[in-house]
Amino acid sequence: MGDEGPGSPVHLLCLAASSGVPLFCRSSSGGAPSRQQLPFSVIGSLNGVHMFGQNLDVQLNSARTEDTTVVWKNFHDSITLIVLSSEEGTSELRLERMLHMVFGAMVLIVGLEELTNIRNVERLKKELRASYCLIDSFLGNSELIGDLTQCVDCVIPPEGSAMQETLSGFAEATGTAFVSLLVSGRVVAATEGWWRLGMPEAVLLPWLVGSLPPQAARDYPVYLPHGSPTVPHRLLTLTLLRGLELCLLCGPRPPLGQLDPQLMERWWQPLLEPLRACLPLGPRALPEGFPLHSDILGLLLLHLELRRCLFTVEPSKDKEPSPEQRRRLLRNFYTLVATTHFPPEPGPAEKQEDTVYPAQMPRACYLVLGPGMGWQLVAVQLGLRLLLLLLSPHTPTHGLRSLATRTLQALTPLL
């Protein structure tokens, strides 16, 4: 399991499946958007070999060269997405899930009808530009991990019950069942209706809000890829504090003007201090002072049934490796765990009939990185929860499972 190179490029191609006309090409290098574009001859060759296979009833899913992994995916026989990655250690699972998220983002912004019944290619190209910011965030080094785990990135607020009660009351007052409170693209609290949203919109909506430039209020039309792919809804966002946003998913009502400052102040002014305490929760995820072992450098906790996760690389920030490296290591380890040791948790868009589950499931696994690094990774699953830890080289190998189990037990009441 390698650590990805800082300048390794990722290229994403979107084409109309029937004609092969490119709709867009997005690239990133070193985790940031890049203007580097693939030559048209390369784009044509990648699409041509995929179409050649289809004509022979052969499904080409992926290919590897010495330094690049390529994954193809066709959606509704209308859109072909191709991703190429030269990042060391990149897995096909990660790229496949990226393509599902990208297509979900396209549906979220323009609707399924525009993508499955392409009448005007140039108009579709223009409409898809609104999705670039969200799509680019999947190609970069995001602080979130829901694109890979297909679980909603969450944080644990210090006064969760009071916040939940206020959120539910506010939702009733505004006449919508779908309300959430977000910090840096992560869910702080949400109504039952919001939690019932299907995949991928449950992951995409907070991710979209986190990718948009700051604004005091928004009235944003969105389609729900799973729940309402052809009829748009309204996503209303209101900034309570910088970085902390209230989101409502609704129909024609309420109008944005109805959410006036007096209404907002009545519901949220009493919680001003708890709201302020949520601001640093973005990268930290856990409440201030939550006891973690000093050897823990990062963690990923997933609730496999609720489809929620906690992800942080904040513990022991003064130690190596850097936060970016920690995120890469945990992402790569999750991919290894999900494909090798534990059964995959595919989203509804992924076909499950070919999935083979082993007769006996492991309960834990660990990995010690090579010379010069020594960092250790351990995964342990208890019931519906899966915990991955990145640990310092000083942790005794024989104590990894015990440390992970104790940490999971401590985190269980939170998620």
Side-chain angles (χ1 to χ4, degrees), residues 338-377:
T339 54
T340 308
H341 302 299
F342 297 98
E345 308 89 36
E350 297 181 38
K351 294 182 180 179
Q352 302 183 45
E353 57 265 24
D354 296 329
T355 303
V356 177
Y357 296 97
Q360 291 186 322
M361 293 305 306
R363 287 178 290 180
C365 64
Y366 73 93
L367 182 71
V368 180
L369 299 183
M373 292 184 284
W375 301 306
Q376 303 177 88
L377 293 136

Side-chain angles (χ1 to χ4, degrees), residues 179-247:
V179 185
S180 67
L181 188 63
L182 307 181
V183 60
S184 305
R186 301 164 177 88
V187 177
V188 178
T191 61
E192 288 186 18
W194 186 281
W195 285 127
R196 285 198 299 269
L197 289 172
M199 292 293 167
E201 50 259 35
V203 171
L204 284 170
L205 288 172
W207 202 299
L208 171 66
V209 175
S211 70
L212 294 172
Q215 258 182 292
R218 302 186 193 90
D219 192 337
Y220 204 91
V222 293
Y223 297 83
L224 304 181
H226 175 72
S228 181
T230 57
V231 179
H233 286 62
R234 295 164 62 228
L235 178 66
L236 307 183
T237 71
L238 300 125
T239 299
L240 300 181
L241 297 168
R242 186 172 178 83
L244 188 68
E245 297 187 76
L246 193 63
C247 300

Side-chain angles (χ1 to χ4, degrees), residues 15-20 50-51 54 59 73-81 103 112 115-118 351:
L15 307 101
S18 58
S19 63
H50 183 256
M51 294 181 70
Q54 283 186 318
Q59 184 65 44
K73 184 68 181 175
N74 182 277
F75 293 89
H76 297 274
D77 295 323
S78 179
I79 298 291
T80 298
L81 292 177
F103 184 74
L112 187 61
L115 298 172
T116 56
N117 187 13
I118 302 174
K351 294 182 180 179

Side-chain angles (χ1 to χ4, degrees), residues 50 121 124 133 137 157 187 233 247 256 259 262 287 309 391 407 412:
H50 183 256
V121 170
L124 179 59
C133 188
S137 68
V187 177
H233 286 62
C247 300
L256 188 59
L259 307 176
Q262 289 78 17
C309 66
L391 299 161
T407 305
T412 293

Side-chain angles (χ1 to χ4, degrees), residues 76-358:
H76 297 274
D77 295 323
S78 179
I79 298 291
T80 298
L81 292 177
I82 308 171
V83 62
L84 302 84
S85 176
S86 299
E87 295 176 342
E88 185 183 349
T90 293
S91 71
E92 293 173 14
L93 174 72
R94 178 194 165 192
L95 297 180
E96 287 167 4
R97 293 191 174 182
M98 179 193 294
L99 294 184
H100 279 285
M101 294 299 288
V102 167
F103 184 74
M106 294 165 63
V107 176
L108 190 80
I109 302 301
V110 304
L112 187 61
E113 176 67 23
E114 291 291 323
L115 298 172
T116 56
N117 187 13
I118 302 174
R119 300 181 185 88
N120 187 317
V121 170
E122 294 305 316
R123 188 183 70 184
L124 179 59
K125 286 182 182 180
K126 289 179 182 178
E127 291 177 344
L128 284 171
R129 288 174 190 165
S131 66
Y132 286 177
C133 188
L134 179 55
I135 288 171
D136 287 347
S137 68
F138 299 136
L139 305 183
N141 294 330
S142 174
E143 294 184 0
L144 307 178
I145 200 168
D147 61 320
L148 177 62
T149 63
Q150 299 183 326
C151 295
V152 180
D153 286 276
C154 300
V155 299
I156 305 300
E159 295 189 32
S161 56
M163 213 161 285
Q164 189 68 50
E165 187 177 337
T166 300
L167 195 72
S168 299
F170 178 79
E172 189 174 342
T174 54
T176 176
F178 305 95
V179 185
S180 67
L181 188 63
L182 307 181
V183 60
S184 305
R186 301 164 177 88
V187 177
V188 178
T191 61
E192 288 186 18
W194 186 281
W195 285 127
R196 285 198 299 269
L197 289 172
M199 292 293 167
E201 50 259 35
V203 171
L204 284 170
L205 288 172
W207 202 299
L208 171 66
V209 175
S211 70
L212 294 172
Q215 258 182 292
R218 302 186 193 90
D219 192 337
Y220 204 91
V222 293
Y223 297 83
L224 304 181
H226 175 72
S228 181
T230 57
V231 179
H233 286 62
R234 295 164 62 228
L235 178 66
L236 307 183
T237 71
L238 300 125
T239 299
L240 300 181
L241 297 168
R242 186 172 178 83
L244 188 68
E245 297 187 76
L246 193 63
C247 300
L248 297 82
L249 187 66
C250 53
R253 302 187 60 82
L256 188 59
Q258 183 180 317
L259 307 176
D260 54 60
Q262 289 78 17
L263 176 70
M264 301 299 293
E265 188 172 321
R266 187 173 88 238
W267 283 99
W268 297 104
Q269 183 67 31
L271 284 180
L272 185 57
E273 288 309 312
L275 289 173
R276 283 181 178 148
C278 290
L279 295 178
L281 284 178
R284 197 173 67 211
L286 298 170
E288 179 98 45
F290 185 85
L292 285 176
H293 195 281
S294 58
D295 285 349
I296 295 176
L297 304 176
L299 69 84
L300 170 60
L301 173 65
L302 302 107
H303 195 297
L304 304 177
E305 183 178 57
L306 298 179
R307 311 300 300 172
R308 304 176 199 174
C309 66
L310 298 175
F311 182 47
T312 180
V313 293
E314 288 286 295
S316 304
K317 285 193 294 184
D318 54 328
K319 298 179 182 178
E320 291 289 332
S322 68
E324 293 77 14
Q325 284 179 297
R326 294 183 188 194
R327 282 191 286 270
R328 290 190 198 112
L329 290 169
L330 279 166
R331 275 178 162 267
N332 287 352
F333 187 52
Y334 170 80
T335 302
L336 177 70
V337 164
T339 54
T340 308
H341 302 299
F342 297 98
E345 308 89 36
E350 297 181 38
K351 294 182 180 179
Q352 302 183 45
E353 57 265 24
D354 296 329
T355 303
V356 177
Y357 296 97

Side-chain angles (χ1 to χ4, degrees), residues 19-49:
S19 63
V21 173
L23 299 177
F24 64 78
C25 177
R26 308 300 295 171
S27 301
S28 76
S29 182
S34 168
R35 293 182 177 275
Q36 179 186 1
Q37 297 290 315
L38 290 173
F40 190 77
S41 58
V42 174
I43 297 175
S45 298
L46 288 169
N47 188 52
V49 70

